[in-house]
Amino acid sequence: MVFDGGRLIASVIGWTHHGHQHVTEEQSLSEKEQLIADIMGAHIRLEQLFADDRSQPLFASHLTMSQLKILVLLSRQGAMPGGALARMMGVGAAALSGMIDRLVVQDLVTRTEDLNDRRIRRIGLTKAGTELIEGIITAGVKKQRELLSRLTAEELAVVSRASALLVREATRIAERKEAPSGEV
């Protein structure tokens, strides 16, 4: 089976082409939806082509899903009290403690006393934990760079501009989520 991500995405979002001779608002919207479907399909296909490179460090790590979640949360949030981490994970303190014990043995996280309250244990990534998560997140970069190096300068300019537009809009969405209620 040949994967056609554009057609798959188009069917998912319900795109249909009406074949009007003049451009109507409906047809313009359909053309926009088709372009979105084509772009999403291309991204899905690229992810499939890079899947082996991207998943290799994940599979080599032998982490459980819960352990991976802990490492990802710590990489995004920084060191935090065990209670806060347990709430974010949706588990009790005892369950979290067992998971942290196994990560400490693997030298991926540390437990330290909170400077302000000695009863609180802060959980943070070790250098090895940071390197593992960065390796998982950046896996496939070499292959992506190789792919980009095959493009002409003009093609790279198009990709660069498109990437900048996507980053701009993703940043706007993230900022709206972070804004207190009533502010946008």
Side-chain angles (χ1 to χ4, degrees):
M1 177 179 142
V2 175
F3 177 81
D4 182 354
R7 291 182 198 272
L8 173 66
I9 300 297
S11 68
V12 169
I13 62 174
W15 176 83
T16 57
H17 185 52
H18 298 283
H20 295 115
Q21 294 301 316
H22 63 284
V23 176
T24 64
E25 184 177 327
E26 181 179 272
Q27 183 180 6
S28 176
L29 180 60
S30 294
E31 289 171 5
K32 181 177 177 180
E33 291 300 320
Q34 181 59 50
L35 288 169
I36 291 170
D38 290 346
I39 292 165
M40 291 176 69
H43 279 277
I44 289 169
R45 184 65 183 133
L46 282 172
E47 289 297 324
Q48 289 175 332
L49 291 168
F50 290 143
D52 287 340
D53 289 337
R54 297 203 47 113
S55 59
Q56 192 283 329
L58 181 61
F59 292 138
S61 72
H62 303 293
L63 293 171
T64 67
M65 186 59 72
S66 294
Q67 291 170 334
L68 179 61
K69 286 179 182 179
I70 289 168
L71 297 179
V72 169
L73 282 171
L74 293 173
S75 74
R76 295 176 79 195
Q77 304 289 326
M80 67 176 65
L85 183 57
R87 283 188 296 281
M88 292 178 88
M89 292 286 298
V91 299
L96 180 71
S97 183
M99 290 184 255
I100 296 301
D101 288 343
R102 288 184 283 287
L103 291 169
V104 167
V105 168
Q106 296 178 62
D107 190 37
L108 298 174
V109 300
T110 59
R111 274 192 185 106
T112 56
E113 283 184 0
D114 187 282
L115 298 175
N116 299 321
D117 187 343
R118 295 178 67 174
R119 297 170 296 173
I120 296 175
R121 297 282 182 244
R122 295 185 66 79
I123 313 300
L125 290 176
T126 62
K127 182 178 179 190
T130 300
E131 289 172 357
L132 176 65
I133 287 299
E134 286 177 1
I136 290 170
I137 291 170
T138 62
V141 169
K142 181 179 178 186
K143 192 170 192 176
Q144 189 174 6
R145 183 170 179 69
E146 179 184 322
L147 172 68
L148 290 170
S149 72
R150 298 173 64 97
L151 301 179
T152 66
E154 293 81 20
E155 291 167 331
L156 286 170
V158 171
V159 173
S160 176
R161 177 72 178 132
S163 297
L165 291 171
L166 291 173
V167 168
R168 180 192 73 198
E169 292 307 312
T171 301
R172 287 179 179 169
I173 291 169
E175 288 171 349
R176 270 188 245 135
K177 286 182 179 179
E178 294 171 3
S181 296
E183 293 181 32
V184 178

